[in-house]
Amino acid sequence: KMKEYFKIKFINWKKNLLKESSLTLNNLKKHENTPKPDITDRAAEEIERSFELKTRERERKLISKIDDALKRIENGSYGYCEETGDRISIKRLEARPVATLSIEAQELHEKNEKIKLGI
């Protein structure tokens, strides 16, 4: 029952992300051919365009994670930690549906990253 819940959640989430992405691309194309005479306006437009493209890149990566989660639902590994094999809590999956690590494994991973970076 929970797998079906998350499957529907992922499908709808992905559909919304793709819709937003399409709207952004159309918006960028529309403004692409409208040169701004003022340098400040051009700079502001370029910053906005850069921000939109970065947002779309993050969303592209999220769509990839959603696809991976859907595959894990299909093969029965969704909801289990990739490192420990333990169940990931429903609270964690509700907060971060694409999570692949339990909270404990994620904390350990982040701690090791900090040590590696010397933080």
Side-chain angles (χ1 to χ4, degrees), residues 4 8 12 14 26 33 44 48 53 57 61 63 65-66 69 72 75 78 94 98-99 102:
E4 190 61 29
I8 291 167
N12 290 332
K14 181 178 175 180
N26 288 336
N33 298 326
E48 185 177 322
L53 291 173
E57 178 62 18
K61 289 178 182 176
I63 288 170
K65 289 180 180 184
I66 290 170
R72 289 193 310 277
N75 70 25
Y78 180 76
E94 277 293 335
V98 295
S102 65

Side-chain angles (χ1 to χ4, degrees), residues 5-6 9-10 13 17 58-59 61-66 69 72 78-80 88-103 106 110:
Y5 165 78
F6 281 106
K9 185 175 188 142
F10 286 131
W13 195 6
L17 288 170
R58 280 194 298 277
E59 289 176 351
K61 289 178 182 176
L62 179 55
I63 288 170
S64 177
K65 289 180 180 184
I66 290 170
R72 289 193 310 277
Y78 180 76
Y80 292 92
I88 299 172
S89 73
I90 294 295
K91 274 178 109 173
R92 174 149 171 79
L93 291 174
E94 277 293 335
R96 182 78 176 142
V98 295
T100 58
L101 300 174
S102 65
I103 290 176
Q106 182 66 42
E110 289 173 8

